[in-house]
Amino acid sequence: MSSPRNVIVTGGAGGIGRSIAEAFIERGDRVILADLDTEAVTAVATQIGATPLIVDITDRDTAPAILADAAAGHGGIDVLVNNAGLLSLHGSITELDPADYEATLRVNVLGTFLVTQTVAKAMISAGKGGVIVNISSIGGRQPTPGMGGYESSKAAVDSLTRWAAIELAGHGIRVNAVAPGPVLTPMLAMAMPEGSEARAAWESRIPLKALAATTDVAAAAVFLASADAGHITGVSLPVDGGQLLT
Ligand SMILES: NC(=O)c1ccc[n+]([C@@H]2O[C@H](COP(=O)([O-])OP(=O)(O)OC[C@H]3O[C@@H](n4cnc5c(N)ncnc54)[C@H](O)[C@@H]3O)[C@@H](O)[C@H]2O)c1
């Protein structure tokens, strides 16, 4: 096992973020859980042995300083996982509320950009390279009616991944994304209980016939951040049970 690294996971209080953080901690890394939900992030960090960091990643006046301070305070950041995202605001092209679209783009695109910019600067000045993993979605490549606002934000995350990868490669920083299909988070399990019509409808689109577990997404993130993925940069890796094949 390689030596412990400092890892930031944004949106770490949520279903997938928690699982990603646990997977890094399991391999011996130190994790900073960054989230705007003070209560939830403090509780989750305590439960899993991470350090909580309260930050709104869309706030350009405060987020860069909070993240830069955290990086400096921990002796640098080796791995950034841009996982925070807004995935609840949907509507058809003729009906989506523009304010909802703007809110989604702010978190998923602007927020991911702001955190990447800040942490990349810290990685460049530390001069030790680094790894960035963005949590995208196969929706960025395969449309589902009614979800296009969210999906277009994830297409932008895939593009941002390639943008950062080409510019940061010279600094020894690799940038990739994990693109899940629907993931069985506690929230989704509640919204679509086993046996429900909604769950069956999603499963019927997936050749492997199951939604992803949060640990499937975490395993891909840990792999992309590892030395085993040392020659991989600029990709968005589907973790979708084959859904993109259909
Ligand atoms: N759940 C799925 O089916 C699924 C599928 C594909 C991709 N994803 C992506 O995975 C990521 C995590 O999803 P999840 O299902 O765990 O969602 P979640 O809602 O459980 O977690 C998201 C977390 O992000 C935090 N967050 C939101 N806005 C923030 C901000 N401005 N600053 C800081 N933190 C903020 C929330 O407080 C929350 O803790 C998202 O990027 C999502 O788009 C999810």
Side-chain angles (χ1 to χ4, degrees), residues 10-17 34-37 55-58 82-87 107-108 135-138 150 154 179-185 187-188:
T10 69
I16 295 174
D35 206 292
L36 51 53
D37 186 334
V55 59
D56 177 351
I57 61 162
T58 68
N82 278 311
N83 162 78
L86 203 52
L87 57 154
V107 179
N108 298 3
I135 305 304
S136 180
S137 163
I138 56 161
Y150 166 74
K154 292 301 188 175
V183 181
L184 203 50
T185 57
M187 217 158 61
L188 200 131

Side-chain angles (χ1 to χ4, degrees), residues 67-130:
L67 291 159
D69 282 358
H74 288 80
I77 296 301
D78 304 298
V79 179
L80 161 66
V81 183
N82 278 311
N83 162 78
L86 203 52
L87 57 154
S88 55
L89 303 175
H90 300 300
S92 67
I93 190 92
T94 52
E95 282 168 0
L96 178 64
D97 183 336
D100 286 351
Y101 192 30
E102 193 170 11
T104 299
L105 293 174
R106 272 184 70 77
V107 179
N108 298 3
V109 186
L110 180 74
T112 299
F113 160 73
L114 268 181
V115 180
T116 300
Q117 183 175 69
T118 306
V119 174
K121 280 189 200 167
M123 285 174 171
I124 291 168
S125 29
K128 293 188 297 176

